[in-house]
Amino acid sequence: MTTVLVWLGVMLIGGIGSVTRFLVDRTVARRVGRPFPYGTLTVNITGAALLGFLTSLALPKDVSLLIGTAFVGAYTTFSTWMLETQRLSEERQMLAAFANIAVSVLLGLGAVLLGQRIAGLV
């Protein structure tokens, strides 16, 4: 694939990833209706599972770049996770802030492993 096509693909697929993140986050947040950032948690855990799955497949370099970096990179959000954790601590919800960190890391690692296992079955 030419460099120009890869860049265009990253822009397009990254845009799709960010819009998907927005929709998933808002849908989960509306359904749960709690101050804990369940939408971001859902996005990051599903993104970790997807990335674990993708990295376990023998995909061509450009395909891995487009799906892994562009889509999953735009879909998941480390900065929002940190901002929401900071917001919880500013609101003196320290248990929720630490839970957000611990649950995100533990479930994220589990999701990567699950994604890799599922890819092994394909």
Side-chain angles (χ1 to χ4, degrees), residues 105-119:
V105 170
L106 292 174
L107 288 181
L109 290 172
V112 167
L113 291 173
L114 178 64
Q116 290 173 334
R117 291 251 169 107
I118 292 171

Side-chain angles (χ1 to χ4, degrees), residues 8-74:
L8 290 172
V10 168
M11 287 187 290
L12 176 66
I13 294 169
I16 293 168
S18 64
V19 169
T20 304
R21 174 184 71 219
F22 176 78
L23 294 173
V24 170
D25 178 40
R26 294 296 174 227
T27 300
V28 170
R30 260 191 246 117
R31 289 182 187 219
V32 175
R34 308 247 187 224
F36 190 83
Y38 288 105
T40 301
L41 179 65
T42 301
V43 163
N44 287 338
I45 300 309
T46 57
L50 180 58
L51 197 55
F53 177 80
L54 293 171
T55 57
S56 295
L57 300 176
L59 298 173
K61 180 184 168 196
D62 288 338
V63 173
S64 291
L65 173 72
L66 292 173
I67 298 172
T69 302
F71 181 80
V72 178

Side-chain angles (χ1 to χ4, degrees), residues 75-112:
Y75 175 67
T76 58
T77 176
F78 181 82
S79 57
T80 301
W81 173 51
M82 288 293 97
L83 180 64
E84 289 172 340
T85 302
Q86 172 62 22
R87 180 189 50 80
L88 289 169
S89 67
E90 284 176 352
E91 294 172 355
R92 306 238 187 259
Q93 297 182 42
M94 299 310 288
L95 182 59
F98 285 114
N100 192 33
I101 294 168
V103 168
S104 293
V105 170
L106 292 174
L107 288 181
L109 290 172
V112 167

